[in-house]
Amino acid sequence: MATTADVVIVGAGIVGSSIAYHLTEAGVRNVLVVERETRQGLGSTGKSMGGVRAQFATDVNIRMSVYSMPFFARFEEATGHPSGYKPHGYLFMATNEWHMTYLRKNQSRQKSQGLKNVELLTADDIRKVLPQLRSDDIIGGSLCLTDGFVDPESVMNGFMARAVERGVTLWRGTEVTGIYVDHGKLSGVLTTNGGVSSPIVVNAAGPWAAAVARMAGAELPVEPLRRMLVLSEPFPGLPERLPMMVDMTSGWHFRQEGLGVLMAWAGTDQQPGFRADFDPAFIEKVLTHAAARVPDFANLAVNPRRCWAGLYEMSPDHHAILGPSPDVQGLYFANGFSGHGVMHSPATGRIIADLIVHGQTHIIDAQDLNVQRFAEGRAIEETAIL
Ligand SMILES: Cc1cc2nc3c(=O)[nH]c(=O)nc-3n(C[C@H](O)[C@H](O)[C@H](O)COP(=O)(O)OP(=O)(O)OC[C@H]3O[C@@H](n4cnc5c(N)ncnc54)[C@H](O)[C@@H]3O)c2cc1C
């Protein structure tokens, strides 16, 4: 094999790019990133809503965010490129006591993990944030003002640009088609651009991660799931620094995008699969939830051609799967983000680089997110998913 690398990363989305960057931070420069598309961002990263938050319900997800959110705030200093970070907050709105108790419990868990600025709000506080809300049934909520939004493509490009400046090689338009394993030990990859010899391969293939793992003979429980976003035409009159507004009762949530409103709802009838076209019938369902919470949104105009769909990469417990494969020496997983891969990309890059270089990390307890947790009955369900 003509090419050799210390580490090969399969996939140049936001996760592969962050891993490349963090490897160079740790002094590993002979890194090859292989991306089958002719440009970056055509996977899930370019479809993301760009929401970033630390308001989670499990210690490990909170800790991933406690590393990642300040990283977004100093992204330009670290990489020399903008992240588009807007700390406008995420505001969870509760309409029943069960949800309020849940938010209170999460707040104390978040504080115990070092996130100090999550506030519980009254219904009056929430009305002040968005006077147009129908709020007669809202009893309170929670807000964290360092949550907010980034520009996912900008973050991905910033990570990769700095990594390339430091010596990383990026092959675009090249597919990894095989992984060489000999007696349980990895020795390289086969690509459409030839073979590459390497003792370490990182799977950062997003929704396609299970297929890449299978190339090495490893099982990885990651499934693609279609997710659709509805963007309205310009809708003036919303407050300038509006948080991501989350209606906990329906799961409908929205933020401003330019002059329009960008809306998401998980729906109830999605089946795992690679189907990723936008279904125009979805618009009416989303607008029903929108008008129920913000009556003025009954007048939102939507052009289906400006709406889009992409793929979440779901794991069985809605947490990422990070770290070495127990079956193939040299194979690492950075997969299964279940809709949180943009917000957790900084922590993921750091954790994978730590594990490759030092065999340990202090960002999280790495045992929590290894793939063995499923076989060993240690799965940890995240309930604060959107
Ligand atoms: C509609 C939608 C909204 C979302 N909103 C948010 C949000 O608000 N906040 C958030 O944090 N997350 C959000 N997500 C999830 C987030 O986008 C993903 O978790 C994240 O982008 C995953 O990044 P990735 O780099 O792992 O995957 P990807 O961006 O999919 O990158 C994987 C790359 O691997 C390449 N690849 C695959 N197989 C091969 C191969 N064999 N050889 C070479 N290359 C290969 C692909 O071409 C692709 O470019 C959203 C996702 C969707 C679909």
Side-chain angles (χ1 to χ4, degrees):
M1 282 181 270
T3 310
T4 62
D6 293 336
V7 180
V8 171
I9 300 171
V10 186
I14 199 165
V15 169
S17 302
S18 172
I19 295 167
Y21 166 85
H22 281 89
L23 280 169
T24 66
E25 279 285 289
V28 185
R29 303 287 161 107
N30 186 13
V31 177
L32 172 66
V33 188
V34 185
E35 169 55 55
R36 74 175 160 207
E37 301 290 349
T38 50
R39 73 172 177 84
Q40 288 179 262
L42 294 176
S44 300
T45 301
K47 306 290 172 17
S48 168
M49 199 175 186
V52 295
R53 66 180 157 111
Q55 290 185 79
F56 278 101
T58 66
D59 291 352
V60 69
N61 269 346
I62 299 164
R63 288 183 70 81
M64 298 277 288
S65 297
V66 164
Y67 177 86
S68 298
M69 304 302 297
F71 195 97
F72 287 126
R74 62 177 179 84
F75 190 84
E76 190 151 357
E77 195 187 308
T79 67
H81 299 269
S83 67
Y85 174 52
K86 289 189 185 138
H88 292 189
Y90 259 63
L91 199 166
F92 287 84
M93 299 177 278
T95 54
N96 59 55
E97 266 312 322
W98 194 91
H99 280 148
M100 240 6 253
T101 306
Y102 176 78
L103 292 178
R104 264 184 231 112
K105 261 202 219 152
N106 286 354
Q107 187 207 32
S108 72
R109 186 180 281 274
Q110 288 150 6
K111 286 198 163 162
S112 77
Q113 294 304 316
L115 182 73
K116 302 296 178 207
N117 62 339
V118 186
E119 304 164 56
L120 293 176
L121 302 186
T122 64
D124 276 344
D125 297 331
I126 296 173
R127 275 187 276 276
K128 283 182 203 139
V129 174
L130 183 61
Q132 293 97 324
L133 277 179
R134 183 181 71 81
S135 57
D136 53 331
D137 59 344
I138 291 178
I139 61 169
S142 75
L143 173 68
C144 174
L145 274 176
T146 43
D147 289 353
F149 326 112
V150 294
D151 177 339
E153 296 223 21
S154 197
V155 171
M156 174 189 71
N157 290 330
F159 275 137
M160 188 56 83
R162 178 46 60 95
V164 168
E165 279 159 29
R166 288 172 168 169
V168 167
T169 303
L170 169 62
W171 283 357
R172 282 177 285 234
T174 306
E175 184 167 359
V176 171
T177 53
I179 298 180
Y180 298 114
V181 179
D182 194 14
H183 293 95
K185 197 170 167 189
L186 193 148
S187 60
V189 295
L190 180 63
T191 79
T192 48
N193 197 21
V196 181
S197 149
S198 177
I200 294 174
V201 171
V202 182
N203 182 349
W208 301 276
V212 170
R214 272 196 299 275
M215 291 178 196
E219 279 306 310
L220 182 67
V222 172
E223 288 187 320
L225 187 70
R226 179 171 65 166
R227 187 59 189 235
M228 293 183 271
L229 297 180
V230 173
L231 177 63
S232 82
E233 297 296 300
F235 186 85
L238 293 174
E240 227 172 75
R241 285 179 62 96
L242 190 67
M244 180 83 84
M245 302 293 289
V246 184
D247 186 340
M248 293 177 74
T249 307
S250 64
W252 173 77
H253 53 288
F254 76 97
R255 68 169 176 84
Q256 276 179 301
E257 168 70 23
L259 298 172
V261 177
L262 183 61
M263 294 172 281
W265 179 60
T268 47
D269 51 359
Q270 292 295 333
Q271 296 301 321
F274 283 101
R275 185 176 172 196
D277 57 317
F278 181 79
D279 174 7
F282 185 67
I283 294 173
E284 199 183 317
K285 295 180 188 168
V286 165
L287 289 182
T288 303
H289 291 297
R293 183 50 65 206
V294 186
D296 287 355
F297 283 179
N299 304 320
L300 280 179
V302 173
N303 176 349
R305 284 197 296 276
R306 298 188 66 220
C307 301
W308 69 90
L311 297 169
Y312 270 17
E313 57 313 63
M314 304 304 289
S315 78
D317 64 359
H318 304 131
H319 281 82
I321 301 172
L322 302 184
S325 157
D327 305 316
V328 180
Q329 194 186 333
L331 177 65
Y332 286 75
F333 299 127
N335 306 114
F337 295 94
S338 307
H340 311 128
V342 167
M343 61 186 90
H344 284 162
S345 60
T348 299
R350 173 65 192 271
I351 291 163
I352 297 294
D354 281 351
L355 293 175
I356 288 174
V357 176
H358 307 297
Q360 57 178 19
T361 183
H362 63 83
I363 305 293
I364 56 165
D365 180 345
Q367 300 293 316
D368 286 346
L369 295 188
N370 66 16
V371 70
Q372 296 94 305
R373 72 182 186 266
F374 302 111
E376 294 170 4
R378 292 185 288 106
I380 19 160
E381 187 64 30
E382 174 59 80
T383 47
I385 55 165
L386 294 175

